[in-house]
Amino acid sequence: MNKKRIPWDQYFMLQAVLLSTRSTCNRLSVGASLVRDKRIIAGGYNGSVAGDAHCTDEGCYMVDGHCLRTIHAEMNAILQCAKFGESTDGAEIYVTDFPCLQCTKMLLQAGIVKINYLRNYNNDDYALHLLKLKQIGLHQVKLDKDTLEQLPFNTYLSDK
């Protein structure tokens, strides 16, 4: 019997979705996986600076419509690479939501060559301009019911 393997794009996007479940943001849970040569080099989710209060515990720290407490998932993934000495040059990112303008600029400066995203989220026109200017690959990954039904989660459940 030939077992059908999940495609790479869905595999890495599902990693980002799993990371998003660690988010401490009350407004939107986002996950990101940095990938180079079909290998995950870092992951991140949106949340507070290590050691600070979490939005899920104390509420968001809102100023001008933005939570100042939250570090975006893309930034956390890039910072993991900086902390542990992993180059991001030539990597691609899988992120659950289209990156904001600031994250887009950071990803470009970090040498990311392709952005794979699951959901559109306030897609910024200037971010799109920069991606086109720098010829960065942009790809919306689809997760459908058929893909999810291939996942053998029930074989890992403890109550079997």
Side-chain angles (χ1 to χ4, degrees):
M1 171 172 160
N2 286 339
K3 179 179 167 184
K4 185 177 177 189
R5 298 195 317 167
I6 188 169
W8 285 113
D9 281 341
Q10 283 76 17
Y11 171 78
F12 292 125
M13 187 57 74
L14 285 167
Q15 298 285 331
V17 169
L18 185 60
L19 282 160
S20 77
T21 67
R22 291 286 304 156
S23 170
T24 61
C25 178
N26 290 321
R27 298 170 4 139
L28 184 68
S29 295
V30 180
S33 294
L34 281 170
V35 174
R36 190 177 53 247
D37 300 326
K38 301 219 180 316
R39 182 176 68 90
I40 297 171
I41 60 173
Y45 53 87
N46 56 332
S48 303
V49 170
D52 191 14
H54 295 292
C55 297
T56 51
D57 298 330
E58 295 192 13
C60 294
Y61 178 30
M62 299 296 292
V63 175
D64 296 329
H66 298 281
C67 180
L68 300 185
R69 183 175 285 140
T70 299
I71 299 172
H72 292 189
E74 303 93 323
M75 186 179 295
N76 265 327
I78 294 288
L79 291 171
Q80 287 295 309
C81 287
K83 185 174 182 177
F84 296 108
E86 183 70 45
S87 174
T88 57
D89 196 33
E92 55 188 279
I93 193 165
Y94 287 80
V95 61
T96 56
D97 295 272
F98 192 91
C100 70
L101 175 59
Q102 295 304 320
C103 284
T104 297
K105 293 190 293 187
M106 178 199 54
L107 294 169
L108 294 175
Q109 289 298 95
I112 301 304
V113 297
K114 186 174 182 183
I115 297 172
N116 302 281
Y117 66 99
L118 183 60
R119 303 180 294 201
N120 286 303
Y121 181 74
N122 298 331
N123 300 20
D124 185 88
D125 288 337
Y126 188 60
L128 291 166
H129 164 76
L130 291 173
L131 294 170
K132 186 175 180 180
L133 176 73
K134 300 286 288 177
Q135 299 178 342
I136 301 301
L138 189 60
H139 174 238
Q140 186 171 20
V141 175
K142 303 289 185 184
L143 293 179
D144 57 26
K145 194 173 181 179
D146 291 338
T147 301
L148 296 178
E149 286 175 355
Q150 289 180 50
L151 305 176
F153 288 128
N154 62 345
T155 63
Y156 296 101
L157 297 177
S158 299
D159 63 350
K160 280 193 99 174

